[in-house]
Amino acid sequence: MSNFEWNKGFTIDFSLLTGLSTKAESSKRYLSKVASMFYDTEAAAKMIEADDELVYEFYELGAPENAGDLAIGSSILYPGKVGDEYFMTKGHFHTILETAETYYCLQGRGGMILENPEGDYSFHELTPGVAIYVPQRYAHRSINTGSETLVTFFAFRGDAGHDYGTIETKGYRKLVVDRGGVPTLIDNPKWEGTV
Ligand code: ZN
């Protein structure tokens, strides 16, 4: 996609990227495609049978894959739960693990779980106006703990790439579930790592 003047500069209205933009096509993740990341697979299967909901979508604007460019886009995570586990994104490391990233929350309420290969993890709340700095070496996953769509803007170095496979294979150490209306971190019963 090259609607944008990567070598000359451009502006973009990110309020238009919350599903209304005609400038870019989003990538969509329906529940049937991401069901295995939720721990309550029975609840997921029932939901898919009733209605294969859109869990999240994201816009990547096709930045050149150079160290000196910035990959930017937006993530749009819908409210919902599978059992008591909030809707979330798949989460990823970067192919170049030593890559930091920043997200800025535009709308909604939720958070992000960070986790590095050595087992350090943390959960950070996101509300409109809050930015998060994701350090090098940390996988990151967004979680919508609210009743509105969670919209974030992100930026990271253009050649960093995405590694989704590690999370798909091992899962995350921690999950965020609803315990009486309070987002609570629990151990992931499906985690398959060894560290
Ligand atoms: Zn990232």
Side-chain angles (χ1 to χ4, degrees), residues 92-94 101 103 134 140 154 156 161-162:
H92 61 269
F93 289 96
H94 290 129
E101 179 164 0
Y103 285 75
V134 179
H140 33 292
F154 60 81
F156 61 99
H162 290 101

Side-chain angles (χ1 to χ4, degrees), residues 140-152:
H140 33 292
R141 158 180 280 173
S142 303
I143 291 142
N144 189 340
T145 60
S147 52
E148 273 185 86
T149 304
L150 180 69
V151 182
T152 49

Side-chain angles (χ1 to χ4, degrees), residues 33-48:
K33 291 281 181 281
V34 295
S36 63
M37 69 184 179
F38 294 97
Y39 81 93
D40 191 343
T41 41
E42 224 169 274
K46 273 188 194 152
M47 283 175 72
I48 293 162

Side-chain angles (χ1 to χ4, degrees), residues 8-190:
K8 292 171 69 72
F10 62 91
T11 61
I12 185 164
D13 181 350
F14 263 88
S15 66
L16 293 179
L17 281 180
T18 58
L20 299 173
S21 175
T22 53
K23 285 183 182 167
E25 189 69 31
S26 72
S27 300
K28 296 177 173 62
R29 297 290 177 263
Y30 287 90
L31 184 56
S32 58
K33 291 281 181 281
V34 295
S36 63
M37 69 184 179
F38 294 97
Y39 81 93
D40 191 343
T41 41
E42 224 169 274
K46 273 188 194 152
M47 283 175 72
I48 293 162
E49 223 177 86
D51 175 24
D52 191 9
E53 283 179 58
L54 183 58
V55 177
Y56 68 98
E57 55 190 314
F58 56 94
Y59 290 90
E60 281 189 303
L61 303 185
E65 292 179 9
N66 302 315
D69 281 301
L70 280 175
I72 58 173
S74 61
S75 163
I76 298 153
L77 173 56
Y78 294 100
K81 275 181 280 189
V82 174
D84 60 2
E85 190 176 8
Y86 298 103
F87 274 13
M88 57 187 172
T89 61
K90 282 165 80 170
H92 61 269
F93 289 96
H94 290 129
T95 309
I96 299 176
L97 192 58
E98 281 72 28
T99 299
E101 179 164 0
T102 188
Y103 285 75
Y104 180 72
C105 181
L106 298 161
Q107 183 191 309
R109 173 172 288 273
M112 195 169 273
I113 293 196
L114 309 181
E115 175 178 311
N116 74 1
E118 288 70 46
D120 186 47
Y121 64 86
S122 55
F123 178 74
H124 303 266
E125 273 191 6
L126 290 175
T127 52
V130 171
I132 179 169
Y133 184 79
V134 179
Q136 299 183 30
R137 300 179 53 77
Y138 278 76
H140 33 292
R141 158 180 280 173
S142 303
I143 291 142
N144 189 340
T145 60
S147 52
E148 273 185 86
T149 304
L150 180 69
V151 182
T152 49
F153 166 83
F154 60 81
F156 61 99
R157 64 182 269 189
D159 64 342
H162 290 101
D163 165 17
Y164 291 104
T166 303
I167 298 295
E168 276 171 8
T169 310
K170 294 170 63 171
Y172 251 75
R173 286 174 173 76
K174 297 287 169 181
L175 303 175
V176 184
V177 298
D178 180 346
R179 289 284 185 266
V182 181
T184 306
L185 253 64
I186 61 164
D187 287 335
N188 180 2
K190 290 168 72 180

